[in-house]
Amino acid sequence: MNKKAFLKLVLQVFILKIRFNICKSNNPAEKLCTDLLPDDYHIEKPSEEGIITDVLTWIQILDFGDINEAKMDFAFLAYVINIWNDSRLKVDSYKTSGQATILYAGCRDYIWIPDIIYESAKDVKADQKFVPSTLLKVLPYGAIYLSTLYSFRARCVMD
C-alpha cells in the first residue's frame, strides 16, 4: 500500500469514528428520531386513562374527481394535518430555536400518532405517488405537526 492510499484509509477511519461518536448510529435520521424518546417511552396514547388528548385536525383538499353516481361516491386528494402535544417526548431543545424543526418523515414510526376516523370514507390510502408525501415537524412550542397526503374515496348520497 502506498503512502497516499494509507493516508486516505486513515482519513476514512477517522471520519467514520467521528460520525459514529456523534450519531451512535449509521443513520443520522434514525438518531434524530430516537433522541425524541425518553428511555421508558411506549407508542401509546400520551394521556392518562380517561383523559382526552386534544388533536387539532384539518384537511387541505387539493383535487376532486371521479364522481360516480351509480356507486354514490367520489374521490379526492388531500393533505390531512394533525397537531398534538405528547409531553413524554423530549422536545425542549426544539423550543429554543423559535421556529419549527422538520424531522425525518420516518420518525412517525417511533412516536404515537393519533388515529383519525373518517365516517363517510369508503377507502383512504396514503398517497405515495408524490415524494415526500409526509411532513413531520416539532413546532416552536413543542407540539408535533404531521401532514400526510391521502387519496380518499367517500360516499355521498346523490339524488
Side-chain angles (χ1 to χ4, degrees), residues 29-48:
E30 184 177 304
K31 170 81 168 112
L32 182 64
C33 301
T34 57
D35 280 352
L36 286 169
L37 309 176
D39 293 335
D40 60 344
Y41 187 83
H42 299 288
I43 300 177
E44 58 190 30
K45 186 177 145 206
S47 301
E48 294 180 23

Side-chain angles (χ1 to χ4, degrees), residues 131-148:
V131 177
S133 64
T134 296
L135 176 63
L136 182 63
K137 303 191 266 190
V138 177
L139 298 177
Y141 54 91
I144 304 298
Y145 172 103
L146 176 66
S147 174
T148 305

Side-chain angles (χ1 to χ4, degrees), residues 79-150:
Y79 280 102
V80 176
I81 298 129
N82 298 302
I83 298 175
W84 71 96
N85 284 302
D86 187 340
S87 60
R88 302 168 302 161
L89 297 176
K90 297 189 291 187
V91 294
D92 289 339
S93 63
Y94 298 101
K95 291 179 183 179
T96 59
S97 71
Q99 59 186 8
T101 303
I102 296 174
L103 301 175
Y104 169 61
C107 289
R108 69 181 293 149
D109 297 333
Y110 292 82
I111 62 173
W112 176 79
I113 303 291
D115 292 327
I116 308 297
I117 309 296
Y118 303 98
E119 288 184 23
S120 63
K122 288 183 169 183
D123 188 34
V124 180
K125 293 179 185 161
D127 196 321
Q128 300 300 319
K129 290 182 225 170
F130 306 102
V131 177
S133 64
T134 296
L135 176 63
L136 182 63
K137 303 191 266 190
V138 177
L139 298 177
Y141 54 91
I144 304 298
Y145 172 103
L146 176 66
S147 174
T148 305
L149 184 61
Y150 288 97

